[in-house]
Amino acid sequence: MVETNEVDIKIPAQGNPRKIKVLMYHLITDNNNFCRKFKSISLPVESFRSQIKFLERWGFTPITFEDYQLYLEGELNLPKKPIILTFDDGYEDIYKYVYPIMKEYGMKGVLFITADRKVKTSVWDAHFGIPQLPLLNNQQIIELHAAGFEIGSHSISHPQLPHIPREKAWEEISRSRMILEILLNNPVKTFAYPYGLTNDTIKHMTIDAGYNFGCGTYTGPPIFGQDHSEIRRMLISGSMPIKYFALRMLTPYQYCDWTRWKIKTKFFRQLGNDAGYPI
Ligand SMILES: [Zn+2]
């Protein structure tokens, strides 16, 4: 009798994660005046619709960080043109405008939500003279999650994490995950740093708190997958004509963006801004 040793050989999933582009949206609104005034955080609904149409026409497939985790575990192949659409701050307009449009195209995205569920408006925007806007309620978050959207944490109260005491930062990172997990009855494995502000201590905290991924805004390497705790995203906002959106999607635009950011950071450091962030 021949003895066989059964070996569990894991076949790696197929796909190229370096191709993954990560987009960052905030507010999608039909208030064109607001969009003109606060270009950096808003985008008109019609521009968003044109962008989604463009993504569909050019064969992009929106995935989530949960999908990417499954790819890493060999459980899911990546599509040919993977893209991750992220939405920060959890504005109610996501439910009103983003959800119906993405549903129409069979797409899903990633929402970064603040975990203090008693806060009903974007109180943090007031510091920048931006009107406070209504946030998603619990029911809407649960519905979006059930429809395939990944829910990530955006802290409890949207502070500048590197600039608050360590214990407070730890609470913002770890407790927000627990609150959202209880709300969704599902693991929450992705974190987005408020204002994109992070450093090595904060990054280690997110890993220790059980997150698989941390999203930055202006920071992180240009190639996806090189630093899971500081994933670089491309800001999509203002009245961006579709040709500029196409440029970002069809070229290795993130490298130009990264080079520009590096030069800018050096300049800010010379001015004495330790963080080096252009905010
Ligand atoms: Zn935010």
Side-chain angles (χ1 to χ4, degrees), residues 15-73:
N16 182 0
R18 292 164 70 101
K19 280 185 171 177
I20 298 175
K21 285 179 187 271
V22 188
L23 309 188
M24 175 177 58
Y25 294 93
H26 285 83
L27 182 75
I28 313 289
T29 177
D30 66 346
N31 184 339
N32 288 342
N33 275 340
F34 188 97
C35 288
R36 269 192 290 275
K37 219 166 161 192
F38 304 106
K39 281 184 183 158
S40 64
I41 65 152
S42 57
L43 185 80
V45 180
E46 282 321 306
S47 301
F48 182 70
R49 179 180 280 282
S50 311
Q51 293 176 4
I52 292 296
K53 241 188 210 169
F54 175 92
L55 293 177
E56 206 226 11
R57 191 172 307 149
W58 285 83
F60 286 90
T61 308
I63 62 167
T64 62
F65 292 103
E66 285 168 346
D67 293 333
Y68 174 58
Q69 180 62 35
L70 290 173
Y71 160 80
L72 293 176
E73 292 166 7

Side-chain angles (χ1 to χ4, degrees), residues 86-200:
T86 68
F87 302 85
D88 283 19
D89 297 345
Y91 294 108
E92 194 190 27
D93 282 354
I94 288 169
Y95 189 82
K96 273 162 77 181
Y97 304 118
V98 171
Y99 181 32
I101 294 173
M102 290 185 74
K103 200 167 153 187
E104 194 185 319
Y105 286 85
M107 294 180 179
K108 57 186 177 179
V110 181
L111 312 178
F112 290 114
I113 305 290
T114 46
D116 188 344
R117 301 279 76 225
K118 294 189 296 300
V119 175
K120 306 291 180 206
T121 58
S122 54
V123 285
W124 53 87
D125 281 339
H127 305 299
F128 301 95
I130 302 169
Q132 293 179 33
L133 297 159
L135 301 175
L136 291 164
N137 64 37
N138 287 348
Q139 226 24 64
Q140 290 165 332
I141 293 171
I142 291 167
E143 192 181 331
L144 284 157
H145 179 247
F149 282 76
E150 177 180 347
I151 307 296
S153 167
H154 199 34
S155 78
I156 298 174
S157 64
H158 207 284
Q160 296 189 1
L161 291 170
H163 304 148
I164 59 174
R166 284 170 80 113
E167 312 75 59
K168 184 81 186 112
W170 170 250
E171 197 196 336
E172 290 275 349
I173 293 166
S174 61
R175 205 158 67 81
S176 60
R177 185 169 78 84
M178 282 186 255
I179 297 169
L180 292 173
E181 286 190 347
I182 291 167
L183 174 70
L184 301 166
N185 194 22
N186 195 70
V188 170
K189 294 289 190 182
T190 311
F191 188 88
Y193 307 107
Y195 310 102
L197 292 172
T198 191
N199 58 27
D200 284 347

